[in-house]
Amino acid sequence: MSASVVDVLKWLRHGDFPDRADHWEQAGAVDAQGVREAADAGLLGLTVPRRYGGDGWSLPEVVEVHRTMAGFSPSLQSLLVVHSMVCQAVLRWGRSDLRELVLPELAAGTKIAAFALTEAESGSDIRSLRTTLAERDGEILVTGRKRWISFGELADVFLVFGMSDGGGSCALVPAGAGQRVSPEPPTTGLRASRLADIEFDATPTSANLAVGRPGFGVPHVATSCLTLGRVLVAAAAVGVAQAAVELATAHAAQRQVGGVALGDRQLVRGLLAEASILAEAAWAMVRAAAERVEERDPEAATAAGRAKVLAARAVSVATDHASRVLGAAGLAEGHRLTRLSQAARTYQVIEGPNEVLLDLVGADLLRREAATRQGGDR
Amino acid sequence: MSASVVDVLKWLRHGDFPDRADHWEQAGAVDAQGVREAADAGLLGLTVPRRYGGDGWSLPEVVEVHRTMAGFSPSLQSLLVVHSMVCQAVLRWGRSDLRELVLPELAAGTKIAAFALTEAESGSDIRSLRTTLAERDGEILVTGRKRWISFGELADVFLVFGMSDGGGSCALVPAGAGQRVSPEPPTTGLRASRLADIEFDATPTSANLAVGRPGFGVPHVATSCLTLGRVLVAAAAVGVAQAAVELATAHAAQRQVGGVALGDRQLVRGLLAEASILAEAAWAMVRAAAERVEERDPEAATAAGRAKVLAARAVSVATDHASRVLGAAGLAEGHRLTRLSQAARTYQVIEGPNEVLLDLVGADLLRREAATRQGGDR
Amino acid sequence: MSASVVDVLKWLRHGDFPDRADHWEQAGAVDAQGVREAADAGLLGLTVPRRYGGDGWSLPEVVEVHRTMAGFSPSLQSLLVVHSMVCQAVLRWGRSDLRELVLPELAAGTKIAAFALTEAESGSDIRSLRTTLAERDGEILVTGRKRWISFGELADVFLVFGMSDGGGSCALVPAGAGQRVSPEPPTTGLRASRLADIEFDATPTSANLAVGRPGFGVPHVATSCLTLGRVLVAAAAVGVAQAAVELATAHAAQRQVGGVALGDRQLVRGLLAEASILAEAAWAMVRAAAERVEERDPEAATAAGRAKVLAARAVSVATDHASRVLGAAGLAEGHRLTRLSQAARTYQVIEGPNEVLLDLVGADLLRREAATRQGGDR
Amino acid sequence: MSASVVDVLKWLRHGDFPDRADHWEQAGAVDAQGVREAADAGLLGLTVPRRYGGDGWSLPEVVEVHRTMAGFSPSLQSLLVVHSMVCQAVLRWGRSDLRELVLPELAAGTKIAAFALTEAESGSDIRSLRTTLAERDGEILVTGRKRWISFGELADVFLVFGMSDGGGSCALVPAGAGQRVSPEPPTTGLRASRLADIEFDATPTSANLAVGRPGFGVPHVATSCLTLGRVLVAAAAVGVAQAAVELATAHAAQRQVGGVALGDRQLVRGLLAEASILAEAAWAMVRAAAERVEERDPEAATAAGRAKVLAARAVSVATDHASRVLGAAGLAEGHRLTRLSQAARTYQVIEGPNEVLLDLVGADLLRREAATRQGGDR
């Protein structure tokens, strides 16, 4: 199943992937066959070590694939994001037997995982979760409601976060009995990503499926997963930004208005240039963040936040500029630029809106300054 | 039929207009009944003098209605834009008998007019139109293809721009024989505005329906109509911006995340404040431009350009900021904020994208500077 | 002494005022003769009613003068700001006998007033002042230290804010004994505005010179003065922005690079256009705020905040764009554009930095939303 | 003389360099002793290979030093820029004997070189130079006027660009007879960089000192030098941006207003975060461009343009945000933040203003798109 970066990129760009991806977005759902093919191409195990049957890629390699995929199917990319977040939680925080049990299936894509953290009242603030994980006799009973869970409709297993007696906890919960899965209205952006609203009503799961120690899980596991998620979403945002720049450049090169190519107008060249500069800068930040995550650098979470902020800005500017270059043609419902613009809007919000991330990045600057100052005082 | 501003605003806000408008946007078409009701409410004759059966409002009054309407139905507002542009062309550039003939029907809304200027290759550059208006024996034969004509599917009459022997010309052409009207794919933004692609194949129209003298029409009539159109679209953009700010403010006031109201976060208040300041500033520019158009000020075209640039920026910022405040909830396909965001994207492009308008405004600054300098040299 | 707007504008633009203003900025101080001439031109009594010997202008007239003056002498404009703030405090909150006593001298400019609110630790947060005003036997003893007091070096009287037993208080304190006035290092921006650091050491002033009732003064008097100050500073920022646009437009019109006029480059026209649009929008906001202050509208403080935010942004963009258009020539120390750019930097900070004002404007939106909601609930 | 990066950074940060640099900026001139010490520290030969007596550093190492130095002395950094540009011209385009003759002296700093390209009428448009280089009997006579030549007052040798019979040419011209060197008014930004206006009046130089073949020099040599210059100036802009962020962070951490640390205000943290994100992104672009220049990548010129655009934006935002955080204190004439802000303004203009670079970057996108399309058509 192990794939090479070059093979995967080729598969994404030159097979029938673009057409199939287009179909999913139109239909409003990535279908099971699509997921199967992605699994066969090795995409669900990119981040999983080879000893568990994954591709064992480094994160700087992985972000290349996410960037390219998002330009065609932002929805399938979002499946890879949540699936990878669960893989990482198990790999880094799961006990050895849990890793042996779960990772091969996740890497092979025979099981699809979704990340069940968000609740209506908690946003991305993990300290205010209302879902409970009550352990009793080797079993954990999960009760609560999770919202906007990407691929919640399709997933075979959820990584559910909540509170237990010992504090925050998380555990894998197989899809099935004791749950009510309702589709959320699709977002315009990643409209094939099969969002679900999931109610757990004392759903039992084995205590062996807990990830991390209770009371230890929420702060560290969630932060580590969110950091990965932010890097991958930022990569996707850059991919969408660059796809928009490519569309706009091709249009400007070919389209004549009043006998003059659009690309001969300086203000049009300025739009293309600004968008491409921001996209390239965001990409540099994404790669730098991916390296820090790979190296388990303590600055990784901040680096991911910085990359997400800049990538969200880049994709907003790039799709906006491309819309102005393409004019009326690019506004149509079916147009690829419309899709990219809608994905751009989603990227402003998911995995932490700008305000949350700016706060995190600013607080980190102050913390480091304080550390330097104290160091200097000695 | 004459209506008061207060009555109309009340009708827009408190009748079943918001629900009906919502239905049109969902269905992808303002229906004939909707147009009829708008006509009955006096909305199609707002800018037409009372002597022709219109409401005889001043433009500063008219923009109030357009601003409010766009917050509910950007599509119906766009009908009013193109209809008003044709009314103004007839009123200011039509001969007396044409005004008597046409304006009462347009004011009453028994005839709906569309503005047929844009071609695929000309953009808003009116000197490169390919459509021809050939006059022969008291008849004008119209041949050419017009694209993205708002309400082209519904209109009873088109104001068609093209070239004749004497130069640029324009004439009213009744919908009917000798035309092929095909729906354009709807834009995500004003998706109920029934865009059409219209091919005229030696379509005959009476020479009495010409507006302005041939060879005189295109530069002056079109500029005058585009100026009006820009002011009205700018008013709509402000309306959408302010609707987004209202949605976001209400959400921030009520929503608790982690036990804290969103509105208690300073970065959230900053988002609301920035959006509202830009929207208010754009509104001041719209009113100022409306006054200049009303007074036939020679600076009106530039003032309209300035208002459109700032309003497009305001609506982009306001819907972006609102999306960040509302988070996942505001991304859903049916959500009102999604509609407003899609309209915002359309407003970046229609009636002149930023780059065209910035060029116009910059050239005007240089022209005035040259005039001052020459004045000073004497 | 009463002056007309036209006369004053003519005096500012066409006398030797520009040269004299230039000299002050170079010398780092508006001199006493300059102040005297401004007084003789009626500039120190613009906002004071005629019955007290002032010009009795409405604020919308006054901001015209401030806008024009700041383009030549940002420093003298700042004298007018602080002097006007004190005039307004006395006029609106002083007892009748105080008004009769003080306003004629202030209007005539025989006494110059400065506004002594800011302290090192309080910023513009008036609740945390450390200065005390202790009343005893018909006398108030003032103790504390005020920083960055514009024209503190030159003023004949200070309006000092501080805490008394009854809460916040303020009183006029004649310059003189019991004070230590030290020049602050000049700011690069308004470098002739003679900033002072003033220490009051149990400085006595007559209890008759108190403005407003103790415990009542700080919240209302200070807010009312700051509101006026923000409108006037916003007017100045617009004036500087427009002066920068004029400089840049003249340069673009005349300067040839490589045989092409700068003004023929679209990106240069875009820079001019964007700057002029923002400046014009900010000016509309300043006038609207001035009208609200004039009408004692309860929304005046928020309107002033909005105007200040947008004007600060406009002047930042305009001087930045002008610098790019003028290139190396505009960077020289003596160049007028350098002066304007330095003033622009000051306007980002004085009378409330953006962050404070955005917070104020955002809080106001939420407050009004809550009021509407409660109204709707009834 | 060969130095290590660590040594040089230590020397810059911890010796008396900051104080001496401060003195130069105050005095308005880097003095000869300062240049000597920089030479002794190996700074003038950083980019020169060891075989010519230089440090032989790679450009990614060199930009580290430029970044750090600019935070203390933007003026001395600009000396290193122009000196390095001349070194690179000789190294890459000079004949072997010229390299042997000139590079050791330049690397040792016993001769200081300046880059004499800019003329009043040519901007950075090298095709419209008016200076002539006329070759006759083994001698070149240089006639023309160069403006705003950094360190023109101090340089021992100029690399002069102009037109000869064969087209564009350039040659080294020793300072001395046949020249009139007049100081330009200093810029507020890099006020110690000793700008000069230099008139060459048939100044003779040896034909052996020509760099590149006549008719070949201007397009390639100048572009290669400008590319290097842009990378180094971009590095400096990042250094100034990061110094501003550090100042602002330290201030926010320590300063209390109204009993609350500035750093506890979310909008202040947002200002710090945005500035630091842009600075970090620009730094990533600078390093990427430095690597391309090092590898003589054909995309190097575009990469340098991208880095310069983003770095100019980062330093503008960072100094602006820092000014808002520091408030009145940071506006004073002598304050370090004022220096940084003034340097930021200069960086908007030198080595190509944004508009020129955006045009270059946009044109490159279109060129690559055309190449791809043609490739695809085959």
Side-chain angles (χ1 to χ4, degrees):
Chain A
M1 196 186 64
S2 174
S4 83
V5 179
V6 171
D7 286 349
V8 168
L9 292 179
K10 199 179 290 176
W11 180 75
L12 287 173
R13 286 209 188 95
H14 300 292
D16 66 347
F17 182 78
D19 286 342
R20 301 179 49 73
D22 202 49
H23 172 72
W24 300 329
E25 302 290 332
Q26 269 171 36
V30 176
D31 54 28
Q33 192 197 336
V35 175
R36 178 90 319 270
E37 288 177 11
D40 291 345
L43 291 174
L44 294 171
L46 295 179
T47 59
V48 176
R50 290 176 180 233
R51 56 170 298 212
Y52 299 111
D55 299 297
W57 290 9
S58 72
L59 199 55
E61 292 171 308
V62 171
V63 291
E64 281 281 358
V65 169
H66 279 252
R67 174 171 69 148
T68 300
M69 179 181 285
F72 297 111
S73 178
S75 296
L76 184 59
Q77 191 268 342
S78 85
L79 170 59
L80 265 58
V81 173
V82 294
H83 190 78
S84 303
M85 286 162 80
V86 177
C87 290
Q88 159 141 323
V90 172
L91 182 64
R92 287 182 58 173
W93 308 94
R95 284 189 316 279
S96 154
D97 56 338
L98 185 69
R99 293 202 299 270
E100 300 288 349
L101 178 70
V102 174
L103 286 175
E105 289 179 322
L106 294 180
T110 50
K111 292 261 171 79
I112 300 298
F115 189 76
L117 168 61
T118 304
E119 300 178 3
E121 307 299 315
S122 72
S124 52
D125 175 10
I126 53 186
R127 286 161 306 181
S128 52
L129 296 174
R130 296 188 180 180
T131 295
T132 55
L133 275 72
E135 188 163 356
R136 195 167 42 191
D137 306 331
E139 215 176 47
I140 299 170
L141 297 182
V142 179
T143 303
R145 185 172 177 188
K146 298 292 183 178
R147 298 291 307 276
W148 302 293
I149 303 306
S150 293
F151 287 91
E153 274 201 291
L154 200 81
D156 303 294
V157 60
F158 303 103
L159 180 62
V160 184
F161 289 78
M163 301 305 287
S164 66
D165 289 346
S169 292
C170 64
L172 294 172
V173 181
Q179 297 161 26
R180 200 164 60 88
V181 176
S182 328
E184 298 268 5
T187 63
T188 48
L190 282 53
R191 68 191 301 273
S193 63
R194 307 188 76 167
L195 296 182
D197 170 340
I198 306 175
E199 285 188 75
F200 298 94
D201 181 10
T203 316
T205 195
S206 160
N208 291 330
L209 295 177
V211 176
R213 278 179 296 141
F216 184 72
V218 167
H220 288 79
V221 182
T223 298
S224 141
C225 292
L226 285 174
T227 294
L228 175 64
R230 282 165 186 166
V231 172
L232 297 177
V233 166
V238 171
V240 169
Q242 292 182 329
V245 171
E246 275 172 34
L247 269 180
T249 305
H251 185 83
Q254 292 167 46
R255 169 128 164 108
Q256 307 274 326
V257 173
V260 179
L262 274 187
D264 287 341
R265 297 194 189 171
Q266 220 184 18
L267 280 167
V268 170
R269 286 201 297 278
L271 288 176
L272 300 176
E274 281 183 350
S276 76
I277 289 170
L278 270 179
E280 180 118 0
W283 182 236
M285 300 288 270
V286 169
R287 278 184 306 187
E291 278 164 23
R292 284 180 188 267
V293 171
E294 188 69 27
E295 296 159 6
R296 306 203 177 188
D297 183 312
E299 299 290 329
T302 312
R306 283 194 298 251
K308 170 66 168 53
V309 167
L310 199 67
R313 174 145 189 73
V315 76
S316 174
V317 167
T319 52
D320 182 55
H321 286 196
S323 296
R324 292 204 240 155
V325 172
L326 268 78
L331 298 177
E333 265 180 3
H335 198 282
R336 188 169 171 224
L337 182 55
T338 294
R339 292 255 167 74
L340 299 175
S341 297
Q342 289 167 336
R345 192 171 162 243
T346 301
Y347 292 140
Q348 305 308 307
V349 169
I350 60 172
E351 303 299 344
N354 262 10
E355 286 58 51
V356 168
L357 300 173
L358 287 174
D359 209 23
L360 181 149
V361 171
D364 179 69
L365 283 171
L366 289 159
R367 197 162 39 239
R368 279 193 281 156
E369 200 277 337
T372 309
R373 197 156 19 107
Q374 290 192 328
D377 287 353
R378 272 167 214 157
Chain B
M1 194 184 69
S2 175
S4 82
V5 178
V6 171
D7 286 350
V8 169
L9 292 178
K10 199 179 291 176
W11 180 74
L12 287 172
R13 286 208 188 96
H14 301 291
D16 65 347
F17 182 78
D19 287 343
R20 299 180 51 74
D22 202 49
H23 173 72
W24 301 329
E25 302 290 333
Q26 270 171 34
V30 177
D31 55 30
Q33 193 198 335
V35 175
R36 180 90 318 268
E37 287 177 10
D40 291 345
L43 292 174
L44 293 171
L46 295 179
T47 60
V48 177
R50 291 179 178 228
R51 57 169 299 208
Y52 300 110
D55 299 297
W57 291 8
S58 72
L59 200 54
E61 292 170 308
V62 171
V63 291
E64 282 280 359
V65 169
H66 279 252
R67 174 172 68 149
T68 299
M69 180 182 285
F72 298 111
S73 177
S75 297
L76 185 59
Q77 190 269 342
S78 86
L79 170 59
L80 264 56
V81 173
V82 295
H83 189 79
S84 303
M85 287 162 81
V86 178
C87 289
Q88 159 142 321
V90 173
L91 182 64
R92 288 182 58 172
W93 308 94
R95 283 187 318 278
S96 155
D97 57 338
L98 185 69
R99 294 203 297 269
E100 300 289 348
L101 180 69
V102 174
L103 286 176
E105 290 180 321
L106 295 179
T110 49
K111 292 264 171 78
I112 300 298
F115 189 77
L117 168 61
T118 305
E119 300 178 2
E121 308 298 313
S122 72
S124 53
D125 176 9
I126 55 186
R127 287 161 307 184
S128 52
L129 296 174
R130 296 187 180 181
T131 296
T132 55
L133 276 70
E135 188 164 355
R136 195 167 44 190
D137 306 330
E139 215 175 48
I140 299 169
L141 297 181
V142 179
T143 304
R145 184 174 178 186
K146 297 293 182 177
R147 296 290 308 274
W148 302 293
I149 303 306
S150 294
F151 288 90
E153 274 199 292
L154 199 80
D156 303 294
V157 61
F158 303 103
L159 180 62
V160 184
F161 289 78
M163 302 305 287
S164 67
D165 290 347
S169 291
C170 64
L172 293 171
V173 181
Q179 297 160 24
R180 200 165 61 87
V181 177
S182 328
E184 298 268 7
T187 62
T188 47
L190 283 53
R191 67 191 303 271
S193 64
R194 308 189 74 167
L195 295 182
D197 169 342
I198 306 175
E199 287 189 76
F200 297 93
D201 182 9
T203 316
T205 194
S206 161
N208 292 329
L209 295 177
V211 176
R213 278 177 297 141
F216 184 71
V218 166
H220 288 78
V221 183
T223 298
S224 142
C225 292
L226 285 174
T227 293
L228 176 64
R230 283 165 186 166
V231 172
L232 296 176
V233 166
V238 171
V240 169
Q242 292 181 330
V245 172
E246 275 172 34
L247 269 179
T249 305
H251 185 83
Q254 292 167 44
R255 171 130 164 106
Q256 306 274 326
V257 173
V260 179
L262 275 186
D264 287 341
R265 298 193 188 171
Q266 221 184 17
L267 281 167
V268 169
R269 285 201 297 278
L271 289 175
L272 300 176
E274 281 183 350
S276 76
I277 289 171
L278 270 179
E280 181 118 358
W283 182 235
M285 302 287 269
V286 169
R287 279 183 306 187
E291 277 164 23
R292 285 178 188 267
V293 171
E294 188 70 25
E295 295 160 7
R296 307 202 176 189
D297 183 310
E299 300 289 331
T302 312
R306 283 194 298 251
K308 170 66 168 52
V309 166
L310 200 67
R313 175 144 188 74
V315 76
S316 175
V317 167
T319 52
D320 182 56
H321 286 197
S323 297
R324 292 204 240 154
V325 173
L326 268 78
L331 299 176
E333 264 179 4
H335 198 282
R336 189 168 170 224
L337 182 55
T338 295
R339 292 255 167 75
L340 298 175
S341 297
Q342 289 168 336
R345 190 169 165 243
T346 301
Y347 292 139
Q348 305 307 307
V349 169
I350 59 172
E351 303 299 342
N354 262 10
E355 286 57 53
V356 169
L357 300 174
L358 286 175
D359 209 24
L360 180 149
V361 171
D364 178 69
L365 284 170
L366 289 159
R367 197 161 39 240
R368 280 193 280 155
E369 200 279 336
T372 310
R373 201 161 8 114
Q374 290 190 329
D377 287 354
R378 271 168 212 155
Chain C
M1 192 184 71
S2 176
S4 84
V5 178
V6 172
D7 286 350
V8 168
L9 292 178
K10 197 178 292 174
W11 180 73
L12 287 172
R13 285 206 190 98
H14 300 292
D16 64 347
F17 182 77
D19 287 343
R20 299 179 51 75
D22 202 49
H23 172 73
W24 300 329
E25 302 291 331
Q26 270 172 33
V30 176
D31 54 30
Q33 192 198 338
V35 175
R36 181 91 313 270
E37 286 177 13
D40 291 346
L43 291 173
L44 293 171
L46 295 179
T47 59
V48 176
R50 289 176 182 234
R51 57 170 299 210
Y52 300 111
D55 298 297
W57 290 10
S58 73
L59 200 54
E61 291 170 308
V62 170
V63 291
E64 282 281 358
V65 169
H66 280 252
R67 174 172 68 149
T68 301
M69 180 182 284
F72 297 111
S73 178
S75 297
L76 184 60
Q77 191 269 343
S78 86
L79 169 60
L80 265 56
V81 173
V82 295
H83 190 78
S84 302
M85 289 163 79
V86 177
C87 289
Q88 159 141 322
V90 172
L91 183 63
R92 287 182 61 173
W93 307 95
R95 284 188 316 278
S96 155
D97 56 336
L98 186 69
R99 294 203 297 271
E100 301 288 348
L101 178 71
V102 174
L103 287 175
E105 288 180 323
L106 295 179
T110 49
K111 291 263 171 79
I112 300 299
F115 189 76
L117 169 61
T118 304
E119 300 178 1
E121 306 299 315
S122 72
S124 52
D125 176 10
I126 53 184
R127 285 163 306 185
S128 52
L129 296 175
R130 298 192 178 176
T131 295
T132 55
L133 275 71
E135 189 166 354
R136 195 167 41 190
D137 305 330
E139 216 177 45
I140 299 170
L141 297 183
V142 179
T143 305
R145 184 172 177 187
K146 299 293 181 176
R147 297 290 307 274
W148 301 293
I149 302 308
S150 293
F151 287 90
E153 274 200 292
L154 200 80
D156 302 295
V157 61
F158 303 103
L159 180 61
V160 184
F161 289 78
M163 302 304 287
S164 66
D165 289 345
S169 293
C170 64
L172 293 172
V173 181
Q179 299 159 24
R180 200 164 58 90
V181 177
S182 328
E184 297 268 5
T187 64
T188 48
L190 282 55
R191 67 192 301 272
S193 64
R194 308 189 72 167
L195 297 182
D197 169 340
I198 307 177
E199 287 189 75
F200 296 95
D201 182 9
T203 317
T205 194
S206 160
N208 291 329
L209 295 178
V211 176
R213 277 180 297 141
F216 184 70
V218 167
H220 288 79
V221 182
T223 298
S224 142
C225 291
L226 286 174
T227 294
L228 175 65
R230 282 164 187 167
V231 172
L232 297 177
V233 165
V238 172
V240 168
Q242 292 182 328
V245 172
E246 275 172 34
L247 268 180
T249 304
H251 185 83
Q254 292 168 45
R255 169 132 165 107
Q256 307 273 325
V257 173
V260 179
L262 274 187
D264 287 341
R265 298 194 188 171
Q266 224 184 15
L267 280 167
V268 169
R269 283 202 298 278
L271 289 176
L272 299 176
E274 281 183 349
S276 77
I277 289 170
L278 271 180
E280 182 118 357
W283 182 235
M285 302 288 269
V286 169
R287 277 184 309 189
E291 278 163 23
R292 285 181 189 266
V293 170
E294 188 69 26
E295 296 159 7
R296 306 204 177 185
D297 185 311
E299 299 289 331
T302 313
R306 285 194 298 252
K308 170 65 168 53
V309 167
L310 200 67
R313 173 142 190 76
V315 76
S316 174
V317 167
T319 52
D320 183 55
H321 285 197
S323 296
R324 292 204 239 155
V325 173
L326 268 79
L331 299 175
E333 264 179 4
H335 198 282
R336 191 171 167 219
L337 183 53
T338 295
R339 292 255 166 75
L340 298 175
S341 297
Q342 289 168 336
R345 191 170 164 244
T346 300
Y347 292 140
Q348 306 306 308
V349 169
I350 58 172
E351 302 300 342
N354 262 9
E355 287 56 53
V356 168
L357 299 173
L358 287 174
D359 209 23
L360 179 151
V361 171
D364 179 67
L365 283 169
L366 290 158
R367 195 161 41 237
R368 280 193 280 155
E369 201 278 334
T372 310
R373 202 160 9 112
Q374 290 191 328
D377 288 353
R378 272 167 213 157
Chain D
M1 194 185 65
S2 176
S4 83
V5 178
V6 172
D7 286 350
V8 168
L9 291 180
K10 197 178 294 177
W11 180 74
L12 286 173
R13 286 208 189 95
H14 301 291
D16 65 347
F17 182 76
D19 286 343
R20 299 179 51 74
D22 201 50
H23 173 73
W24 300 330
E25 302 292 331
Q26 269 171 35
V30 177
D31 53 31
Q33 193 198 337
V35 175
R36 179 90 316 273
E37 287 177 11
D40 292 345
L43 291 173
L44 294 170
L46 296 179
T47 60
V48 177
R50 290 178 179 232
R51 56 169 298 211
Y52 299 111
D55 298 296
W57 289 9
S58 72
L59 200 55
E61 293 171 306
V62 171
V63 290
E64 282 280 0
V65 169
H66 279 252
R67 174 171 68 149
T68 300
M69 179 181 285
F72 297 112
S73 178
S75 298
L76 184 59
Q77 190 269 342
S78 86
L79 169 59
L80 264 59
V81 172
V82 295
H83 189 79
S84 302
M85 288 163 80
V86 177
C87 289
Q88 159 141 323
V90 172
L91 182 64
R92 287 182 59 172
W93 307 94
R95 286 188 316 278
S96 154
D97 57 337
L98 185 69
R99 293 204 298 270
E100 300 290 347
L101 179 69
V102 174
L103 287 176
E105 289 180 322
L106 294 180
T110 50
K111 290 264 171 78
I112 299 300
F115 190 77
L117 169 61
T118 304
E119 300 178 2
E121 306 300 313
S122 71
S124 52
D125 176 9
I126 54 187
R127 286 162 307 185
S128 52
L129 295 175
R130 297 188 179 179
T131 295
T132 56
L133 274 71
E135 187 163 357
R136 195 168 41 189
D137 306 329
E139 212 175 51
I140 299 171
L141 297 182
V142 180
T143 304
R145 183 171 177 188
K146 299 292 184 178
R147 296 291 307 276
W148 301 293
I149 302 308
S150 293
F151 287 90
E153 274 200 291
L154 200 81
D156 303 294
V157 60
F158 303 102
L159 181 62
V160 184
F161 290 78
M163 302 305 287
S164 66
D165 289 346
S169 293
C170 63
L172 294 171
V173 180
Q179 298 160 23
R180 199 165 60 90
V181 177
S182 329
E184 297 268 6
T187 63
T188 48
L190 284 55
R191 67 191 304 270
S193 65
R194 308 189 73 167
L195 297 181
D197 168 342
I198 307 176
E199 287 189 75
F200 297 95
D201 182 9
T203 316
T205 193
S206 161
N208 292 330
L209 295 178
V211 176
R213 277 177 299 140
F216 183 71
V218 167
H220 289 78
V221 182
T223 298
S224 142
C225 292
L226 285 175
T227 293
L228 175 64
R230 282 165 186 165
V231 173
L232 297 176
V233 165
V238 172
V240 168
Q242 292 181 329
V245 172
E246 276 172 36
L247 268 180
T249 304
H251 185 82
Q254 292 168 44
R255 170 133 163 104
Q256 307 274 325
V257 173
V260 179
L262 275 186
D264 287 340
R265 298 193 188 173
Q266 224 185 13
L267 281 167
V268 169
R269 285 201 297 278
L271 288 175
L272 299 177
E274 282 184 349
S276 76
I277 289 170
L278 270 179
E280 182 120 357
W283 182 235
M285 301 288 268
V286 168
R287 278 183 307 188
E291 277 163 23
R292 284 180 189 267
V293 170
E294 188 69 27
E295 297 159 7
R296 305 202 178 189
D297 184 311
E299 300 290 330
T302 312
R306 283 195 298 251
K308 170 66 168 51
V309 167
L310 200 67
R313 174 143 189 74
V315 75
S316 175
V317 167
T319 51
D320 183 55
H321 285 197
S323 296
R324 292 205 240 154
V325 173
L326 268 78
L331 298 176
E333 265 180 4
H335 198 281
R336 190 170 169 221
L337 182 54
T338 295
R339 292 255 167 74
L340 299 175
S341 297
Q342 289 167 337
R345 191 169 164 242
T346 300
Y347 292 139
Q348 306 307 307
V349 169
I350 59 173
E351 302 300 342
N354 262 10
E355 288 57 52
V356 168
L357 300 173
L358 287 174
D359 210 24
L360 180 150
V361 171
D364 179 68
L365 284 170
L366 290 158
R367 197 162 40 237
R368 280 193 280 156
E369 201 277 336
T372 310
R373 200 160 10 113
Q374 290 193 329
D377 287 353
R378 272 168 213 156

